[in-house]
Amino acid sequence: MQLEVHVEPDARELRSLQNWLRSDPDVRRSVTTGMRGSTPQPGEMGTALDVLQLVTGNGWSAASFVLALVAWRQTRPQRPRVEIRRGDTVIFLTDCSPEEIERATRALNATANEDREA
């Protein structure tokens, strides 16, 4: 399964997030990460590396992934908004309340289940 993560307002935070995910043993075992630029909007010349691409493997856990994102976000001075994309599914982490964490985990599990059924 492929996911894209964008951090607002500062794309520089993505490198920090990538390093954080690589240091988390539960995530590192089942996720490969890479940076890429997002698709330029009409009239834009190009863009910096502002999207973290993740490819998940067999042992991937949506709950572990979301909790790793939440833990990273809590270390940031300004608590950036995190956007997770999987196809047409877009998930935002803004306050990381228990309800938001549950919603994000459920949504990611649903997209993973769709892949298995396809």
Side-chain angles (χ1 to χ4, degrees):
M1 175 167 70
Q2 288 191 333
L3 300 168
E4 293 183 350
V5 178
H6 179 75
V7 178
E8 294 179 7
D10 191 346
R12 292 175 291 173
E13 292 284 6
L14 279 177
R15 183 70 60 197
S16 169
L17 175 56
Q18 183 180 34
N19 291 335
W20 182 274
L21 292 173
R22 286 178 174 170
S23 71
D24 183 301
D26 290 332
V27 175
R28 183 178 62 232
R29 278 192 292 271
S30 59
V31 174
T32 303
T33 65
M35 302 282 284
R36 72 165 185 81
S38 60
T39 304
Q41 298 298 315
E44 290 182 342
M45 291 181 63
T47 179
L49 298 177
D50 61 355
V51 174
L52 182 60
Q53 265 187 322
L54 298 103
V55 178
T56 64
N58 289 338
W60 183 75
S61 163
S64 292
F65 175 67
V66 171
L67 291 176
L69 290 175
V70 169
W72 169 80
R73 190 176 171 275
Q74 290 172 341
T75 68
R76 312 318 301 160
Q78 297 188 333
R79 308 276 200 272
R81 181 174 94 148
V82 177
E83 176 185 318
I84 308 161
R85 281 190 178 273
R86 168 70 174 109
D88 293 336
T89 302
V90 181
I91 303 156
F92 294 100
L93 297 177
T94 56
D95 65 2
C96 294
S97 65
E99 295 80 17
E100 188 175 68
I101 293 167
E102 174 69 25
R103 264 193 316 275
T105 302
R106 259 189 282 123
L108 289 173
N109 278 332
T111 64
N113 289 338
E114 289 171 9
D115 283 354
R116 286 186 205 115
E117 292 172 2

